[in-house]
Amino acid sequence: MKANADVVYRDFDASPALNDTIYKKIEKLHRYSDSIIHSRVVLDAPHKHKHKGNLFRASIELGVKGAPITVTQDNPSVHVAVRDAFSTLERKLKKESAKRKDTHH
């Protein structure tokens, strides 16, 4: 099953390997919550400001029943930015689903 996700690349080329990683990580998130409606991952290379070299930004918005969860992570490596953003999102999702379970009991 392909995850219901939009992956958007801005200012750099799409990567099939990175797409594969993102879809696998989104599938994994579905284990923690069955209330995920959609997800949107935006990967961009914001223009250089005071940083040397490229800095990549991974922004993930998870549409969850109730309120969406949004996480943004910056890193010189797009892969590390994606990994860190998903691990933060995973923690938030676990916390949210634990809250929901507590209120249902």
Side-chain angles (χ1 to χ4, degrees):
M1 176 191 142
K2 234 350 177 198
N4 183 12
D6 297 323
V7 180
V8 179
Y9 288 83
R10 291 189 185 141
D11 302 326
F12 71 103
D13 294 333
S15 157
L18 196 54
N19 278 348
D20 195 41
T21 300
I22 289 167
Y23 285 120
K24 284 178 182 168
K25 288 182 180 292
I26 289 170
E27 286 297 322
K28 187 179 175 190
L29 292 176
H30 283 272
R31 293 186 213 162
Y32 305 115
S33 175
D34 56 0
S35 59
I36 297 171
I37 301 162
H38 75 89
S39 48
R40 178 178 170 87
V41 179
V42 178
L43 303 172
D44 64 277
H47 298 290
K48 295 175 201 166
H49 292 290
K50 296 176 186 166
H51 300 285
K52 288 182 180 168
N54 286 343
L55 194 65
F56 293 97
R57 174 170 291 151
S59 301
I60 307 168
E61 182 183 305
L62 207 58
V64 183
K65 290 175 191 162
I69 300 172
T70 306
V71 172
T72 300
Q73 194 73 42
D74 293 342
N75 198 286
S77 163
V78 68
H79 294 276
V80 174
V82 167
R83 182 198 67 200
D84 291 352
F86 271 103
S87 61
T88 301
L89 192 60
E90 193 175 303
R91 275 195 309 276
K92 285 186 173 190
L93 198 58
K94 285 178 181 176
K95 205 170 165 181
E96 284 297 311
S97 58
K99 269 191 217 171
R100 285 199 179 98
K101 285 178 183 168
D102 287 348
T103 58
H104 288 344
H105 290 289

